[in-house]
Amino acid sequence: KAGVTQTPRYLIKTRGQQVTLSCSPISGHRSVSWYQQTPGQGLQFLFEYFSETQRNKGNFPGRFSGRQFSNSRSEMNVSTLELGDSALYLCASSWGTGETGELFFGEGSRLTVL
Amino acid sequence: DQQVKQNSPSLSVQEGRISILNCDYTNSMFDYFLWYKKYPAEGPTFLISISSIKDKNEDGRFTVFLNKSAKHLSLHIVPSQPGDSAVYFCAAKGWGAQKLVFGQGTRLTINP
């Protein structure tokens, strides 16, 4: 069974640019969540999608957005990049029932903003 | 407002001994707690969880203890092995929620 796949794995952008990250969940999983990991901050919740609808959103500015497609694949976009956006962006998938909270994470997309 | 806190950024333990990782939380509405392990260049992987109606859950070498009155949970690893060296994240969720609230992580190093 294939795991959660994130692309690209690494990317470098400059301030002011925008970036799109992609996530393919485990087959059958309908919920996709995105987290930002920075040193000392742990994992910060960005948003969660279920059946193409955003169910939850974290405390991030409007520059961070996402969407989910009918095949459950998801993308997140960050516009007008800032130096502080440099981080590991992790995608996680689950069945979406919310009972146990067990998420299956991808390897992440490491974004560096120069 | 850090609702889930791991106050020890790092922990070093000798192989074969017990590793104890601690986590504190502030939100009494959390009903499920999880531990994830993360190796470098990999995503976090689920390790063990506990419901708020229990005070202990065991899975092989891993045991999680929950003290609701103190809003504290801990992960015990016995015996510790070199392959356990990783960053451990504590996480919590509310009933029916998909969102996990994570702690900052504790880097565990097992010394041979």
Side-chain angles (χ1 to χ4, degrees):
Chain A
K1 191 176 186 180
V4 177
T5 304
Q6 292 188 245
T7 57
R9 290 290 312 279
Y10 303 91
L11 65 165
I12 299 173
K13 294 285 187 178
T14 57
R15 279 180 298 174
Q17 287 187 309
Q18 68 98 24
V19 65
T20 299
L21 308 178
S22 180
C23 173
S24 293
I26 291 173
S27 178
H29 284 187
R30 297 170 65 187
S31 170
V32 173
S33 303
W34 290 88
Y35 289 81
Q36 180 196 64
Q37 184 189 3
T38 53
Q41 291 296 315
L43 280 72
Q44 303 289 316
F45 174 76
L46 281 156
F47 26 65
E48 184 248 345
Y49 288 87
F50 181 83
S51 294
E52 302 179 66
T53 300
Q54 187 181 88
R55 285 200 300 197
N56 291 287
K57 190 177 191 305
N59 294 325
F60 279 83
R63 301 185 296 109
F64 292 80
S65 63
R67 60 178 176 169
Q68 186 181 33
F69 302 96
S70 58
N71 61 358
S72 293
R73 191 178 70 85
S74 177
E75 289 181 347
M76 69 161 281
N77 184 79
V78 188
S79 62
T80 320
L81 284 166
E82 301 176 359
L83 295 179
D85 297 333
S86 294
L88 179 67
Y89 290 88
L90 291 159
C91 169
S93 75
S94 70
W95 296 105
T97 58
E99 291 174 350
T100 66
E102 182 178 346
L103 302 179
F104 297 83
F105 283 88
E107 294 179 318
S109 293
R110 183 164 294 282
L111 170 65
T112 301
V113 182
L114 302 176
Chain B
D1 177 26
Q2 193 75 31
Q3 296 186 67
V4 177
K5 292 183 181 179
Q6 293 177 257
N7 292 317
S8 298
S10 63
L11 177 67
S12 185
V13 175
Q14 194 169 3
E15 181 179 359
R17 299 288 185 105
I18 182 172
S19 295
I20 300 176
L21 295 93
N22 294 303
C23 177
D24 296 300
Y25 63 95
T26 58
N27 190 338
S28 58
M29 299 302 290
F30 287 146
D31 76 326
Y32 220 87
F33 303 89
L34 307 92
W35 285 94
Y36 280 80
K37 179 168 78 171
K38 186 180 187 300
Y39 293 118
E42 294 184 12
T45 55
F46 170 76
L47 192 58
I48 191 169
S49 63
I50 187 168
S51 164
S52 60
I53 63 173
K54 295 185 176 181
D55 54 18
K56 177 183 174 182
N57 188 28
E58 193 171 352
D59 184 1
R61 297 186 297 114
F62 303 91
T63 302
V64 57
F65 295 91
L66 175 62
N67 182 333
K68 287 188 291 294
S69 60
K71 293 189 175 66
H72 176 84
L73 66 156
S74 60
L75 173 68
H76 293 211
I77 306 173
V78 183
S80 299
Q81 299 175 353
D84 296 330
S85 294
V87 176
Y88 289 78
F89 290 97
C90 168
K93 67 178 284 294
W95 185 85
Q98 275 297 109
K99 167 187 172 181
L100 292 183
V101 181
F102 284 86
Q104 305 95 313
T106 296
R107 181 177 300 278
L108 175 65
T109 302
I110 306 300
N111 302 307

